[in-house]
Amino acid sequence: MVASPRVRFSPAPTGYLHVGSARSALFNWLYARHTGGTFIVRVEDTDTARSQPELTEAVLDTLRRLGLDWDETHHQSDRFDLYRVAAERFLDEGLAYRCDCSQDDVKARNEAAGGPPGYDGHCRDRNVQPGDGVVVRFRTPDEGTTGWDDVIRDRVEFENRHLEDFVIVRSNGVPMFLLANAIDDVDMGITHVIRGEDLVNTTPKVLLLRQALGDDEPPVYAHLPLIVNEARKKLSKRRDDVNIGDYLDRGFLPEAMLNYLATLGWGAPDGVELRPMAEIVQLFELTDIGKSPAAFDLKKLSHFNGEYLRALPVDEFVERVEPWIGGPDAPWSPDQFDRDAFGRLAPLVQERTKTLDEVPELVDWLFLADPPEDQASWDKEMGKPHASAVLDSAIAGAEAAGEWTADAVRALVEKAAHDAGLVGAEGNPQLAKAQAPVRVATLGRSKGLPLFESLELLGHDETVRRLRAARSRV
RNA sequence: GCCCCCAUCGUCCAGCGGCCUAGGACGCCUCCCUUUCAAGGAGGUAACACGGGUUCAAAUCCCGUUGGGGGUACCA
């Protein structure tokens, strides 16, 4: 019988979750959930010089924010003894040897010999004894090939002679990731290794290590196509926005993020891209993953996010925006914020936002005494010949208004259109033109929420005040 | 340099020998709706890198070329 799949996501403690890593985590998670298997998070923190608990925690935290829950947690730093024992055994069995060459030595010899970079096997038979600056290297075969049947890439093979004798234990006694990786995959019974294509070339080394460990049943490997930027280069920390946490902070919803990431390299058989995670879990198959690199498209992600945002029940939408409008990061102080007023605008806001961080500027005119004024909007609308006539009429209309409702505002703008001569061929008011100066005067921009409803909420007095103030400057 | 991989619209995904005058999605353009902006509706734009095979038939299989990418650490 086939054992239940066990897959692992192996982040290095970098301090943030990378877009590419998140996609790897997602695909592992999808496979585990699809098959009823086990999703393991194994922190590969063998680099003691760089690893810090906070950095690891930041990565795990983002995984949690995304909703990628896991079943087991392991830290390689807890398992060093296991790796050291194995290294000792390799040494005893002649599968590994000590080496005291410095990196400079190796490099110098390669250059002198005009040979390719990489370790040249200098210490293979020198019987180097333990000491300062001494590492342990794994002896790779000189002949033959090492390969595997990749679910995504079919057969991949390397000639052993191209595999250098790589370091498995550093000179400070700390094991290297290849050793830890091989041992853990065997020890933890990992059945499927799903990871980025940038790791293919380490696979033969791990396979060799597994053989040395006595393992005769390697896992199924699935090397995912890379996620690249517009320039078709692997996403990098320097050039690109790769921090998933940043995206979440900008107001991309975790579910939209995951849905989008799922479309990078994978496609549902029916071609439907935008769909609930539950369906993706159900449909996900490793065999449906493509092999060519996929570009990260922010526009498409934004579209997905907008779809998810609009699909939310209004009160949940309000709940989700809370951090952007009701907290310390909002452009206004908490006492300036009126939750009920926002609630009335919410449906209109929801329809117009692609990311949650856009929300404040859609409603700032309501909560700020002097809302930001868009200079370009002002110049354009107030510079038109009819601007002052419209404003004069609007002020008069607002002052004379009875009950202050959206309909009342509409009526006043219609009248302003007539008064300013903004009428169509059939004598109908040109609302689009007439509302523009009023909008800029009161809401600060030529684009935004529907004017009539907005002014109803702004209130009669404040509306008049802003209209007057604007008029005096035209 | 060496090793490994990839190759369908600008981008993502479909196509796994005939159903392809290549389909869907994002973007972009046009129109409709409309108090702005969105949203929505209707259209449109745009691709099988090239060259050889194999086959009655190739986007689909094979080889080569070209192009692109990844790796080449006492990082993972």
Side-chain angles (χ1 to χ4, degrees):
Chain A
M1 99 166 228
V2 180
S4 171
R6 287 174 61 80
V7 299
R8 44 76 169 181
F9 169 58
S10 306
T14 51
Y16 69 98
L17 186 65
H18 188 284
V19 170
S21 307
R23 204 269 310 251
S24 293
L26 171 63
F27 281 27
N28 275 283
W29 181 87
L30 283 171
Y31 188 65
R33 296 297 172 252
H34 173 75
T35 57
T38 305
F39 179 48
I40 297 165
V41 167
R42 187 176 74 213
V43 181
E44 309 223 317
D45 52 356
T46 53
D47 187 348
T48 50
R50 297 185 202 181
S51 299
Q52 291 172 44
E54 315 85 76
L55 300 184
T56 297
E57 202 42 50
V59 173
L60 298 185
D61 185 56
T62 306
L63 236 29
R64 287 186 202 103
R65 289 176 72 189
L66 284 174
L68 297 179
D69 56 321
W70 58 97
D71 308 307
E72 294 177 20
T73 311
H74 301 279
H75 294 265
Q76 292 188 324
S77 53
D78 292 339
R79 301 163 59 81
F80 282 175
D81 289 346
L82 208 57
Y83 313 142
R84 291 199 182 101
V85 168
E88 279 306 320
R89 218 189 78 211
F90 288 172
L91 244 12
D92 291 345
E93 294 171 359
L95 296 167
Y97 59 91
R98 293 198 176 80
C99 163
D100 61 0
C101 299
S102 71
Q103 294 178 73
D104 287 343
D105 292 343
V106 176
K107 198 176 164 193
R109 280 201 300 272
N110 286 334
E111 277 169 11
Y119 186 67
D120 56 2
H122 181 76
C123 298
R124 274 193 165 189
D125 304 305
R126 288 182 57 225
N127 193 225
V128 174
Q129 293 306 302
D132 278 355
V134 173
V135 301
V136 178
R137 287 184 183 274
F138 185 76
R139 186 188 293 262
T140 59
D142 299 324
E143 297 174 341
T145 60
T146 300
W148 70 95
D149 292 304
D150 199 281
V151 190
I152 297 170
R153 270 146 232 291
D154 301 323
R155 186 75 193 169
V156 182
E157 265 182 357
F158 288 78
E159 288 186 54
N160 292 150
R161 65 189 175 89
H162 288 131
L163 271 21
E164 64 176 330
D165 289 351
F166 54 93
V167 175
I168 55 177
V169 180
R170 299 172 168 85
S171 57
N172 64 2
V174 177
M176 291 283 291
F177 96 101
L178 285 169
L179 214 216
N181 190 283
I183 291 173
D184 285 346
D185 281 351
V186 173
D187 194 57
M188 296 174 188
I190 300 302
T191 59
H192 301 255
V193 175
I194 305 165
R195 28 122 82 145
E197 192 202 340
D198 50 340
L199 271 327
V200 262
N201 64 134
T202 69
T203 304
K205 293 176 180 174
V206 171
L207 251 14
L208 252 18
L209 246 14
R210 292 183 65 115
Q211 280 170 27
L213 255 11
D215 166 73
D216 53 4
E217 199 181 337
V220 171
Y221 282 94
H223 285 98
L224 272 19
L226 256 22
I227 297 181
V228 299
N229 60 22
E230 313 71 22
R232 301 246 119 218
K233 307 260 192 221
K234 184 170 105 166
L235 248 31
S236 91
K237 184 182 183 176
R238 280 200 62 134
R239 291 186 297 256
D240 313 299
D241 294 329
V242 294
N243 187 340
I244 287 284
D246 286 347
Y247 285 94
L248 299 180
D249 292 343
R250 281 161 60 187
F252 284 96
L253 300 179
E255 54 268 48
M257 197 77 215
L258 292 182
N259 192 158
Y260 174 66
L261 250 20
T263 67
L264 260 27
W266 176 82
D270 60 7
V272 178
E273 297 183 307
L274 212 119
R275 65 200 319 160
M277 213 21 76
E279 281 183 32
I280 295 177
V281 165
Q282 198 169 73
L283 296 167
F284 187 78
E285 296 290 350
L286 291 178
T287 47
D288 288 333
I289 298 173
K291 33 179 80 161
S292 42
F296 188 78
D297 183 353
L298 190 61
K299 288 220 179 92
K300 191 159 178 176
L301 204 213
S302 294
H303 175 260
F304 273 40
N305 206 54
E307 294 273 6
Y308 271 86
L309 245 18
R310 288 192 293 278
L312 252 29
V314 180
D315 45 342
E316 197 184 333
F317 171 75
V318 171
E319 218 170 280
R320 299 265 205 142
V321 237
E322 174 67 23
W324 283 268
I325 56 176
D329 292 336
W332 45 77
S333 64
D335 57 292
Q336 284 178 291
F337 180 58
D338 179 340
R339 202 162 264 98
D340 290 337
F342 179 77
R344 295 185 55 190
L345 246 22
L348 302 177
V349 174
Q350 183 174 9
E351 195 70 11
R352 275 157 254 262
T353 93
K354 280 200 159 68
T355 53
L356 261 12
D357 64 355
E358 299 170 346
V359 172
E361 68 175 19
L362 279 170
V363 296
D364 54 7
W365 49 269
L366 219 204
F367 305 120
L368 256 20
D370 293 299
E373 189 173 271
D374 180 58
Q375 193 59 46
S377 295
W378 177 280
D379 292 347
K380 181 174 181 219
E381 298 305 337
M382 299 309 187
K384 289 181 177 172
H386 59 251
S388 49
V390 168
L391 289 178
D392 284 337
S393 171
I395 291 168
E399 285 175 329
E403 201 186 351
W404 189 249
T405 62
D407 282 344
V409 178
R410 168 188 282 269
L412 126 212
V413 174
E414 281 176 353
K415 179 156 193 311
H418 278 112
D419 292 348
L422 297 172
V423 289
E426 291 151 30
N428 49 314
Q430 295 177 308
L431 276 188
K433 287 181 182 172
Q435 62 94 42
V438 175
R439 169 183 294 280
V440 173
T442 54
L443 309 185
R445 300 182 189 87
S446 56
K447 299 177 177 181
L449 265 26
L451 181 68
F452 311 149
E453 292 80 351
S454 297
L455 293 190
E456 174 185 332
L457 210 54
L458 218 212
H460 170 270
D461 296 352
E462 182 62 11
T463 299
V464 171
R465 206 208 100 219
R466 293 188 185 182
L467 286 173
R468 282 214 181 100
R471 178 63 183 86
S472 70
R473 294 166 52 211
V474 175

